[in-house]
Amino acid sequence: MPESSLPLFQLPKPSLKHLFLAKEAQRIEFKGKGGGKTEIREVERRQHAALLNKQLAGISRGVARIQKAIAEESLPPVEGIVLQIKTEPGFPIGTQDIQALTTRTGRRSGPQITLLHAMQLHDADSLPYTRIVMHVPFGGLTYLEEKVRRFGGGEGKKGKHAFLANISSIAQAALEALWTDDPESLPKDEDPHWWQLWVRKHPADVWHRFQNIRDGLALEVRGEELVLPEHYIVVVRATYSTLAASIPLLDTLAEVRGAYPCSLGLTDLSASEQREGVE
């Protein structure tokens, strides 16, 4: 049979005679809504690019201080920094724009920026904005600087990297940026709490560095780590200040969440009650 005359789909031959379809199959074309176009904020490009460049310059000075501390051996090895990028309230950006932030400019090889997570949040006035958290290896800031340069050379709401008009701030991320639970639930007191630390699996040395940092901070660990395709999840007991003050630790993480005890109490039930609970 020629290819052009092949049916669009074929029903499988029935193998379970006790099951049957009462109606004939109908073809319905997929109609995706998509994510919609990003609404671009009205800005003067050169002026806004200058603002973003000023923020990147401040981050670069911070990177230089970190690298100096590493060279003087007063700081354990660190591969880069974690950045938090926020958009102006009322002007969130879409997935393609977020991806564009982590994509290398041109075909040059070099450090790869890694998107850790991105969230669509709302401010006090219920205006939506986007918060992006990414890991930038040392040397990777040049890619962001090049994107800002190209943005500043354009005009209007179209053209290269137009979505950067919506970016209001670029800063080195703190523990708050890695926290992906309810922002109000982040425990900032000086009491020790249980935390889920989502450790990056790539590059391969991150896990080894995390273990050394964990031991150096004398973090209490509960159970074995959970291994996921992109992360290790480790439950530790520590204070907010201990985690927040460790730049090397934050460098190994993708997310931080609360660690909550199981509220079902299954272990307190009898064997038959446990089976019922599981079912």
Side-chain angles (χ1 to χ4, degrees):
M1 181 182 294
E3 183 176 346
S4 60
S5 61
L6 287 174
L8 294 176
F9 61 89
Q10 292 179 336
L11 291 176
K13 293 181 179 181
S15 59
L16 303 175
K17 306 240 181 214
H18 63 291
L19 299 177
F20 63 92
L21 298 174
K23 295 183 179 181
E24 293 291 331
Q26 294 182 348
R27 183 182 181 88
I28 300 177
E29 296 293 342
F30 172 74
K31 296 181 179 179
K33 294 182 179 179
K37 291 184 177 181
T38 297
E39 181 182 354
I40 303 299
R41 185 166 61 132
E42 186 71 55
V43 297
E44 201 288 312
R45 279 194 175 222
R46 292 180 183 275
Q47 182 178 354
H48 189 63
L51 172 64
L52 298 180
N53 276 324
K54 183 178 180 180
Q55 295 176 358
L56 289 173
I59 295 169
S60 293
R61 290 192 293 271
V63 167
R65 288 192 293 269
I66 293 173
Q67 290 177 313
K68 181 180 179 181
I70 295 171
E72 294 173 349
E73 299 184 355
S74 61
L75 194 68
V78 177
E79 297 296 326
I81 57 170
V82 180
L83 292 188
Q84 174 180 264
I85 298 177
K86 287 184 179 181
T87 67
E88 186 72 16
F91 294 92
I93 61 177
T95 53
Q96 289 185 340
D97 301 324
I98 295 171
Q99 185 179 10
L101 277 171
T102 61
T103 303
R104 295 186 185 129
T105 301
R107 298 183 178 180
R108 295 179 299 167
S109 62
Q112 177 62 57
I113 297 174
T114 302
L115 175 66
L116 301 181
H117 60 265
M119 303 178 71
Q120 303 288 6
L121 304 172
H122 292 80
D123 70 354
D125 297 321
S126 298
L127 293 174
Y129 68 94
T130 306
R131 187 187 75 183
I132 304 147
V133 180
M134 58 177 62
H135 182 266
V136 182
F138 293 140
L141 279 178
T142 57
Y143 296 114
L144 295 177
E145 292 167 348
E146 175 64 14
K147 293 177 193 297
V148 172
R149 187 190 68 78
R150 293 192 176 192
F151 165 80
E155 295 181 359
K157 295 184 178 182
K158 296 182 179 181
K160 202 66 176 178
H161 305 312
F163 68 90
L164 290 179
N166 291 9
I167 302 297
S168 62
S169 66
I170 305 175
Q172 186 172 350
L175 180 59
E176 285 80 354
L178 293 170
W179 180 259
T180 55
D181 279 351
D182 180 357
E184 300 299 323
S185 66
L186 176 62
K188 293 186 178 181
D189 54 53
E190 284 305 311
D191 294 329
H193 297 274
W194 287 101
W195 310 75
Q196 291 183 53
L197 304 183
W198 290 54
V199 184
R200 295 183 291 115
K201 287 184 74 172
H202 307 289
D205 70 321
V206 175
W207 176 243
H208 179 67
R209 287 196 291 115
F210 168 79
Q211 290 176 306
N212 289 337
I213 296 165
R214 175 200 63 193
D215 296 342
L217 294 174
L219 301 181
E220 180 182 350
V221 180
R222 171 69 61 85
E224 298 291 328
E225 67 272 7
L226 177 62
V227 182
L228 299 180
E230 299 294 331
H231 306 96
Y232 297 100
I233 302 179
V234 184
V235 176
V236 304
R237 189 169 186 262
T239 63
Y240 166 86
S241 58
T242 297
L243 300 183
S246 178
I247 293 177
L249 176 68
L250 300 182
D251 178 56
T252 66
L253 304 181
E255 295 183 38
V256 178
R257 303 183 185 184
Y260 308 104
C262 177
S263 60
L264 296 178
L266 289 175
T267 55
D268 297 328
L269 304 177
S270 66
S272 60
E273 289 173 326
Q274 287 184 29
R275 285 194 295 272
E276 291 178 4
V278 171
E279 291 173 359

